Amino acid sequence: MKVGFVNIFGRPNAGKSTLLNALLGEKLAIVSPKVQTTRHRIKGILTEPGYQIIISDTPGIIEPRYKLHERMMQAVKSALEDADLAILLVDVSDNLEESDAIFTALRLKVPALLVLNKIDGVPEEKLTAAKQFFENKPYVREILMVSALKQTGLPALLEKILSYLPEGEPFFDEDNLTDLPTRFFVGELIREQIYQLYQDEIPYHAAVLVQEFKEKSTLVKIMADIIVHRDTQKGIILGERGKMIRELGTRARIEIEKFLGQKVFLELFVKVRPKWRDNDLYLREYGYK
């Protein structure tokens, strides 16, 4: 069968997480209009008769400003090292020169498909210009166009991916969807709601640590800490008389119940850890290896 690692690279907000979810037909990676939503490398496993593709969503490529960013870029580096095929994802309305600079700096050693994303509603001449811009770049094998959100162009992309993958034995059992634990995704779903509910800097200053995950006969009991930098941020997360954290808890619980397929009891606590994004000890504790 065809087996291989296909890793998605691109600028923040190119649509990498949406593409991973669309290819898998399952929501694994959290999605937000805000940049830098993805902080980890998230592997999804797509197994069908005749093939197994391990697809990785990676953090958007940025210039690191904190140790947290350095950990995120390490995730990108690890994805470069084991790829059989790279998908270089570009928001077709983005700055193409900046994407080109990022892809050139990756120094890819494997074939790459350049995928122009978010093509719905974009004028034909703009699509043609974007295609022509990337056509002769040395890192590009072929160019495809998709709308990950509308799921346009995905069958052609999947077919093209398979044509580049080697034959081999599967790495994972066919019923595996990911190599990450459930607890990780619970934390991510809570973090996704922080991105949805709070504005400005709060999502970027917050981390989520799942302290307890107990499966009982009728429900799953989850206890999680939301980590922030400052007391003022704690106040914003809580809201007046706890109104905001109750809303956050309700929204997160609904999403977690959808993900787990069972009832959930969710308790959230807010902890202040000054400068956690630059603290190696905290970063390790919060899962940023």
Side-chain angles (χ1 to χ4, degrees), residues 103-137:
F103 298 149
T104 302
L106 289 176
R107 297 172 196 233
L108 289 165
K109 296 180 174 66
V110 294
L113 302 177
L114 191 289
V115 178
L116 296 168
N117 189 26
K118 308 186 186 181
I119 62 167
D120 35 304
V122 175
E124 195 62 44
E125 57 271 21
K126 190 168 183 174
L127 296 178
T128 304
K131 193 174 179 201
Q132 286 171 346
F133 176 85
F134 285 107
E135 229 149 31
N136 297 312
K137 302 296 181 190

mmCIF file of all heavy atoms in Angstrom, residues 103-137:
data_model
loop_
_atom_site.group_PDB
_atom_site.id
_atom_site.type_symbol
_atom_site.label_atom_id
_atom_site.label_comp_id
_atom_site.label_asym_id
_atom_site.label_seq_id
_atom_site.Cartn_x
_atom_site.Cartn_y
_atom_site.Cartn_z
ATOM 1 N N PHE A 103 9.311 29.654 2.166
ATOM 2 C CA PHE A 103 9.490 28.333 1.537
ATOM 3 C C PHE A 103 10.939 28.133 1.072
ATOM 4 O O PHE A 103 11.479 27.032 1.170
ATOM 5 C CB PHE A 103 8.520 28.153 0.374
ATOM 6 C CG PHE A 103 7.070 28.204 0.771
ATOM 7 C CD1 PHE A 103 6.103 28.689 -0.107
ATOM 8 C CD2 PHE A 103 6.659 27.788 2.027
ATOM 9 C CE1 PHE A 103 4.764 28.753 0.267
ATOM 10 C CE2 PHE A 103 5.327 27.843 2.413
ATOM 11 C CZ PHE A 103 4.376 28.324 1.523
ATOM 12 N N THR A 104 11.560 29.201 0.589
ATOM 13 C CA THR A 104 12.964 29.115 0.173
ATOM 14 C C THR A 104 13.841 28.790 1.375
ATOM 15 O O THR A 104 14.746 27.945 1.301
ATOM 16 C CB THR A 104 13.407 30.442 -0.478
ATOM 17 O OG1 THR A 104 12.556 30.728 -1.588
ATOM 18 C CG2 THR A 104 14.853 30.374 -0.953
ATOM 19 N N ALA A 105 13.554 29.440 2.517
ATOM 20 C CA ALA A 105 14.355 29.245 3.735
ATOM 21 C C ALA A 105 14.189 27.842 4.325
ATOM 22 O O ALA A 105 15.043 27.381 5.086
ATOM 23 C CB ALA A 105 13.976 30.295 4.779
ATOM 24 N N LEU A 106 13.096 27.139 3.988
ATOM 25 C CA LEU A 106 12.898 25.775 4.510
ATOM 26 C C LEU A 106 13.950 24.796 3.988
ATOM 27 O O LEU A 106 14.213 23.768 4.610
ATOM 28 C CB LEU A 106 11.497 25.250 4.141
ATOM 29 C CG LEU A 106 10.304 25.875 4.856
ATOM 30 C CD1 LEU A 106 8.993 25.311 4.300
ATOM 31 C CD2 LEU A 106 10.360 25.656 6.366
ATOM 32 N N ARG A 107 14.523 25.095 2.797
ATOM 33 C CA ARG A 107 15.529 24.212 2.166
ATOM 34 C C ARG A 107 15.048 22.772 2.117
ATOM 35 O O ARG A 107 15.686 21.849 2.648
ATOM 36 C CB ARG A 107 16.863 24.282 2.910
ATOM 37 C CG ARG A 107 17.457 25.665 2.860
ATOM 38 C CD ARG A 107 18.657 25.809 3.747
ATOM 39 N NE ARG A 107 18.914 27.222 3.914
ATOM 40 C CZ ARG A 107 20.091 27.793 3.689
ATOM 41 N NH1 ARG A 107 21.090 27.083 3.297
ATOM 42 N NH2 ARG A 107 20.247 29.084 3.866
ATOM 43 N N LEU A 108 13.920 22.587 1.504
ATOM 44 C CA LEU A 108 13.280 21.266 1.460
ATOM 45 C C LEU A 108 14.143 20.235 0.750
ATOM 46 O O LEU A 108 14.765 20.525 -0.271
ATOM 47 C CB LEU A 108 11.939 21.382 0.723
ATOM 48 C CG LEU A 108 10.831 22.119 1.475
ATOM 49 C CD1 LEU A 108 9.717 22.493 0.519
ATOM 50 C CD2 LEU A 108 10.297 21.270 2.607
ATOM 51 N N LYS A 109 14.159 19.047 1.313
ATOM 52 C CA LYS A 109 14.896 17.932 0.694
ATOM 53 C C LYS A 109 13.923 16.918 0.080
ATOM 54 O O LYS A 109 14.328 15.858 -0.370
ATOM 55 C CB LYS A 109 15.772 17.245 1.742
ATOM 56 C CG LYS A 109 16.867 18.146 2.300
ATOM 57 C CD LYS A 109 17.705 17.411 3.336
ATOM 58 C CE LYS A 109 18.887 18.235 3.814
ATOM 59 N NZ LYS A 109 18.491 19.437 4.567
ATOM 60 N N VAL A 110 12.625 17.239 0.127
ATOM 61 C CA VAL A 110 11.606 16.322 -0.409
ATOM 62 C C VAL A 110 10.749 17.075 -1.434
ATOM 63 O O VAL A 110 10.744 18.305 -1.459
ATOM 64 C CB VAL A 110 10.695 15.775 0.717
ATOM 65 C CG1 VAL A 110 11.494 14.886 1.653
ATOM 66 C CG2 VAL A 110 9.998 16.891 1.477
ATOM 67 N N PRO A 111 10.014 16.338 -2.277
ATOM 68 C CA PRO A 111 9.140 17.013 -3.236
ATOM 69 C C PRO A 111 8.086 17.865 -2.514
ATOM 70 O O PRO A 111 7.675 17.544 -1.393
ATOM 71 C CB PRO A 111 8.455 15.860 -3.984
ATOM 72 C CG PRO A 111 9.225 14.639 -3.652
ATOM 73 C CD PRO A 111 9.945 14.877 -2.381
ATOM 74 N N ALA A 112 7.666 18.941 -3.166
ATOM 75 C CA ALA A 112 6.668 19.835 -2.560
ATOM 76 C C ALA A 112 5.571 20.180 -3.557
ATOM 77 O O ALA A 112 5.841 20.486 -4.725
ATOM 78 C CB ALA A 112 7.337 21.113 -2.062
ATOM 79 N N LEU A 113 4.337 20.110 -3.068
ATOM 80 C CA LEU A 113 3.191 20.606 -3.823
ATOM 81 C C LEU A 113 2.856 21.995 -3.289
ATOM 82 O O LEU A 113 2.687 22.176 -2.088
ATOM 83 C CB LEU A 113 1.979 19.686 -3.644
ATOM 84 C CG LEU A 113 2.141 18.222 -4.053
ATOM 85 C CD1 LEU A 113 0.863 17.444 -3.730
ATOM 86 C CD2 LEU A 113 2.473 18.101 -5.540
ATOM 87 N N LEU A 114 2.792 22.972 -4.193
ATOM 88 C CA LEU A 114 2.382 24.315 -3.797
ATOM 89 C C LEU A 114 0.863 24.369 -3.934
ATOM 90 O O LEU A 114 0.326 24.146 -5.028
ATOM 91 C CB LEU A 114 3.074 25.337 -4.714
ATOM 92 C CG LEU A 114 3.039 26.821 -4.374
ATOM 93 C CD1 LEU A 114 1.695 27.457 -4.542
ATOM 94 C CD2 LEU A 114 3.636 27.129 -3.013
ATOM 95 N N VAL A 115 0.182 24.621 -2.819
ATOM 96 C CA VAL A 115 -1.284 24.602 -2.839
ATOM 97 C C VAL A 115 -1.803 26.003 -2.532
ATOM 98 O O VAL A 115 -1.565 26.547 -1.451
ATOM 99 C CB VAL A 115 -1.837 23.577 -1.817
ATOM 100 C CG1 VAL A 115 -3.362 23.599 -1.819
ATOM 101 C CG2 VAL A 115 -1.339 22.176 -2.153
ATOM 102 N N LEU A 116 -2.486 26.585 -3.507
ATOM 103 C CA LEU A 116 -3.123 27.892 -3.329
ATOM 104 C C LEU A 116 -4.489 27.666 -2.690
ATOM 105 O O LEU A 116 -5.343 26.969 -3.258
ATOM 106 C CB LEU A 116 -3.261 28.604 -4.682
ATOM 107 C CG LEU A 116 -1.942 28.949 -5.386
ATOM 108 C CD1 LEU A 116 -2.187 29.373 -6.823
ATOM 109 C CD2 LEU A 116 -1.184 30.035 -4.628
ATOM 110 N N ASN A 117 -4.687 28.244 -1.520
ATOM 111 C CA ASN A 117 -5.899 28.025 -0.731
ATOM 112 C C ASN A 117 -6.777 29.281 -0.729
ATOM 113 O O ASN A 117 -6.339 30.361 -1.091
ATOM 114 C CB ASN A 117 -5.494 27.653 0.702
ATOM 115 C CG ASN A 117 -6.671 27.199 1.553
ATOM 116 O OD1 ASN A 117 -7.684 26.700 1.036
ATOM 117 N ND2 ASN A 117 -6.576 27.373 2.850
ATOM 118 N N LYS A 118 -8.030 29.090 -0.286
ATOM 119 C CA LYS A 118 -9.026 30.176 -0.174
ATOM 120 C C LYS A 118 -9.314 30.800 -1.537
ATOM 121 O O LYS A 118 -9.360 32.015 -1.689
ATOM 122 C CB LYS A 118 -8.556 31.240 0.831
ATOM 123 C CG LYS A 118 -8.158 30.669 2.207
ATOM 124 C CD LYS A 118 -7.847 31.749 3.218
ATOM 125 C CE LYS A 118 -7.315 31.180 4.519
ATOM 126 N NZ LYS A 118 -7.024 32.163 5.545
ATOM 127 N N ILE A 119 -9.515 29.917 -2.529
ATOM 128 C CA ILE A 119 -9.709 30.399 -3.907
ATOM 129 C C ILE A 119 -11.151 30.808 -4.192
ATOM 130 O O ILE A 119 -11.414 31.446 -5.212
ATOM 131 C CB ILE A 119 -9.272 29.325 -4.941
ATOM 132 C CG1 ILE A 119 -10.144 28.053 -4.793
ATOM 133 C CG2 ILE A 119 -7.799 29.011 -4.818
ATOM 134 C CD1 ILE A 119 -10.008 27.068 -5.930
ATOM 135 N N ASP A 120 -12.104 30.449 -3.292
ATOM 136 C CA ASP A 120 -13.509 30.748 -3.573
ATOM 137 C C ASP A 120 -13.724 32.273 -3.603
ATOM 138 O O ASP A 120 -13.302 32.994 -2.713
ATOM 139 C CB ASP A 120 -14.440 30.094 -2.539
ATOM 140 C CG ASP A 120 -13.830 30.066 -1.144
ATOM 141 O OD1 ASP A 120 -12.721 29.530 -1.015
ATOM 142 O OD2 ASP A 120 -14.447 30.606 -0.201
ATOM 143 N N GLY A 121 -14.362 32.715 -4.672
ATOM 144 C CA GLY A 121 -14.687 34.140 -4.806
ATOM 145 C C GLY A 121 -13.525 34.993 -5.292
ATOM 146 O O GLY A 121 -13.649 36.216 -5.407
ATOM 147 N N VAL A 122 -12.376 34.372 -5.568
ATOM 148 C CA VAL A 122 -11.211 35.144 -6.029
ATOM 149 C C VAL A 122 -11.246 35.233 -7.554
ATOM 150 O O VAL A 122 -11.450 34.226 -8.231
ATOM 151 C CB VAL A 122 -9.892 34.470 -5.555
ATOM 152 C CG1 VAL A 122 -8.668 35.189 -6.116
ATOM 153 C CG2 VAL A 122 -9.837 34.442 -4.034
ATOM 154 N N PRO A 123 -11.044 36.435 -8.142
ATOM 155 C CA PRO A 123 -11.082 36.578 -9.603
ATOM 156 C C PRO A 123 -10.043 35.693 -10.303
ATOM 157 O O PRO A 123 -8.945 35.466 -9.778
ATOM 158 C CB PRO A 123 -10.746 38.066 -9.829
ATOM 159 C CG PRO A 123 -10.953 38.735 -8.519
ATOM 160 C CD PRO A 123 -10.779 37.704 -7.460
ATOM 161 N N GLU A 124 -10.421 35.220 -11.479
ATOM 162 C CA GLU A 124 -9.578 34.302 -12.253
ATOM 163 C C GLU A 124 -8.184 34.868 -12.506
ATOM 164 O O GLU A 124 -7.175 34.164 -12.407
ATOM 165 C CB GLU A 124 -10.275 34.001 -13.595
ATOM 166 C CG GLU A 124 -9.701 32.807 -14.345
ATOM 167 C CD GLU A 124 -9.839 31.478 -13.582
ATOM 168 O OE1 GLU A 124 -10.913 31.213 -13.016
ATOM 169 O OE2 GLU A 124 -8.844 30.740 -13.566
ATOM 170 N N GLU A 125 -8.127 36.178 -12.808
ATOM 171 C CA GLU A 125 -6.806 36.765 -13.121
ATOM 172 C C GLU A 125 -5.867 36.757 -11.907
ATOM 173 O O GLU A 125 -4.660 36.615 -12.045
ATOM 174 C CB GLU A 125 -6.934 38.194 -13.694
ATOM 175 C CG GLU A 125 -7.663 39.204 -12.831
ATOM 176 C CD GLU A 125 -9.183 39.241 -13.074
ATOM 177 O OE1 GLU A 125 -9.739 38.249 -13.591
ATOM 178 O OE2 GLU A 125 -9.790 40.276 -12.747
ATOM 179 N N LYS A 126 -6.452 36.893 -10.722
ATOM 180 C CA LYS A 126 -5.628 36.850 -9.498
ATOM 181 C C LYS A 126 -5.082 35.442 -9.273
ATOM 182 O O LYS A 126 -3.921 35.264 -8.869
ATOM 183 C CB LYS A 126 -6.467 37.299 -8.296
ATOM 184 C CG LYS A 126 -5.648 37.508 -7.033
ATOM 185 C CD LYS A 126 -6.435 38.221 -5.962
ATOM 186 C CE LYS A 126 -5.564 38.485 -4.754
ATOM 187 N NZ LYS A 126 -6.214 39.285 -3.729
ATOM 188 N N LEU A 127 -5.923 34.432 -9.515
ATOM 189 C CA LEU A 127 -5.480 33.042 -9.391
ATOM 190 C C LEU A 127 -4.365 32.735 -10.392
ATOM 191 O O LEU A 127 -3.358 32.106 -10.056
ATOM 192 C CB LEU A 127 -6.655 32.083 -9.615
ATOM 193 C CG LEU A 127 -7.817 32.145 -8.606
ATOM 194 C CD1 LEU A 127 -8.916 31.175 -9.009
ATOM 195 C CD2 LEU A 127 -7.332 31.829 -7.187
ATOM 196 N N THR A 128 -4.541 33.211 -11.619
ATOM 197 C CA THR A 128 -3.536 32.991 -12.668
ATOM 198 C C THR A 128 -2.214 33.653 -12.303
ATOM 199 O O THR A 128 -1.141 33.068 -12.457
ATOM 200 C CB THR A 128 -4.045 33.535 -14.025
ATOM 201 O OG1 THR A 128 -5.301 32.904 -14.316
ATOM 202 C CG2 THR A 128 -3.070 33.251 -15.154
ATOM 203 N N ALA A 129 -2.310 34.891 -11.781
ATOM 204 C CA ALA A 129 -1.092 35.627 -11.395
ATOM 205 C C ALA A 129 -0.353 34.902 -10.260
ATOM 206 O O ALA A 129 0.879 34.797 -10.277
ATOM 207 C CB ALA A 129 -1.452 37.046 -10.971
ATOM 208 N N ALA A 130 -1.115 34.376 -9.300
ATOM 209 C CA ALA A 130 -0.495 33.654 -8.178
ATOM 210 C C ALA A 130 0.185 32.376 -8.681
ATOM 211 O O ALA A 130 1.302 32.042 -8.268
ATOM 212 C CB ALA A 130 -1.544 33.324 -7.126
ATOM 213 N N LYS A 131 -0.497 31.696 -9.594
ATOM 214 C CA LYS A 131 0.070 30.464 -10.149
ATOM 215 C C LYS A 131 1.360 30.766 -10.906
ATOM 216 O O LYS A 131 2.376 30.081 -10.747
ATOM 217 C CB LYS A 131 -0.959 29.802 -11.074
ATOM 218 C CG LYS A 131 -0.594 28.384 -11.443
ATOM 219 C CD LYS A 131 -1.678 27.698 -12.227
ATOM 220 C CE LYS A 131 -1.216 26.290 -12.581
ATOM 221 N NZ LYS A 131 -1.922 25.716 -13.709
ATOM 222 N N GLN A 132 1.324 31.827 -11.708
ATOM 223 C CA GLN A 132 2.514 32.201 -12.484
ATOM 224 C C GLN A 132 3.672 32.612 -11.566
ATOM 225 O O GLN A 132 4.835 32.335 -11.850
ATOM 226 C CB GLN A 132 2.178 33.342 -13.454
ATOM 227 C CG GLN A 132 1.352 32.858 -14.640
ATOM 228 C CD GLN A 132 0.834 33.992 -15.502
ATOM 229 O OE1 GLN A 132 0.852 35.161 -15.107
ATOM 230 N NE2 GLN A 132 0.361 33.656 -16.696
ATOM 231 N N PHE A 133 3.333 33.253 -10.447
ATOM 232 C CA PHE A 133 4.372 33.697 -9.499
ATOM 233 C C PHE A 133 5.185 32.506 -8.984
ATOM 234 O O PHE A 133 6.404 32.577 -8.865
ATOM 235 C CB PHE A 133 3.731 34.448 -8.322
ATOM 236 C CG PHE A 133 4.703 34.864 -7.261
ATOM 237 C CD1 PHE A 133 5.414 36.045 -7.367
ATOM 238 C CD2 PHE A 133 4.931 34.054 -6.149
ATOM 239 C CE1 PHE A 133 6.339 36.421 -6.390
ATOM 240 C CE2 PHE A 133 5.850 34.419 -5.161
ATOM 241 C CZ PHE A 133 6.550 35.612 -5.288
ATOM 242 N N PHE A 134 4.489 31.391 -8.684
ATOM 243 C CA PHE A 134 5.166 30.237 -8.078
ATOM 244 C C PHE A 134 5.662 29.210 -9.104
ATOM 245 O O PHE A 134 6.420 28.305 -8.747
ATOM 246 C CB PHE A 134 4.232 29.535 -7.078
ATOM 247 C CG PHE A 134 4.068 30.277 -5.781
ATOM 248 C CD1 PHE A 134 2.885 30.939 -5.483
ATOM 249 C CD2 PHE A 134 5.099 30.322 -4.855
ATOM 250 C CE1 PHE A 134 2.722 31.627 -4.279
ATOM 251 C CE2 PHE A 134 4.955 31.009 -3.656
ATOM 252 C CZ PHE A 134 3.769 31.656 -3.360
ATOM 253 N N GLU A 135 5.248 29.370 -10.368
ATOM 254 C CA GLU A 135 5.463 28.318 -11.360
ATOM 255 C C GLU A 135 6.912 27.839 -11.489
ATOM 256 O O GLU A 135 7.174 26.649 -11.580
ATOM 257 C CB GLU A 135 4.951 28.764 -12.738
ATOM 258 C CG GLU A 135 4.079 27.696 -13.367
ATOM 259 C CD GLU A 135 3.004 28.303 -14.266
ATOM 260 O OE1 GLU A 135 3.253 29.375 -14.861
ATOM 261 O OE2 GLU A 135 1.912 27.713 -14.360
ATOM 262 N N ASN A 136 7.861 28.763 -11.485
ATOM 263 C CA ASN A 136 9.250 28.360 -11.739
ATOM 264 C C ASN A 136 10.121 28.351 -10.487
ATOM 265 O O ASN A 136 11.345 28.346 -10.584
ATOM 266 C CB ASN A 136 9.861 29.277 -12.806
ATOM 267 C CG ASN A 136 9.116 29.138 -14.123
ATOM 268 O OD1 ASN A 136 8.873 28.029 -14.586
ATOM 269 N ND2 ASN A 136 8.716 30.259 -14.702
ATOM 270 N N LYS A 137 9.482 28.358 -9.321
ATOM 271 C CA LYS A 137 10.269 28.321 -8.084
ATOM 272 C C LYS A 137 10.897 26.935 -7.934
ATOM 273 O O LYS A 137 10.227 25.917 -8.157
ATOM 274 C CB LYS A 137 9.388 28.628 -6.862
ATOM 275 C CG LYS A 137 8.681 29.981 -6.919
ATOM 276 C CD LYS A 137 9.659 31.135 -6.910
ATOM 277 C CE LYS A 137 8.911 32.467 -6.943
ATOM 278 N NZ LYS A 137 9.816 33.597 -7.165
#
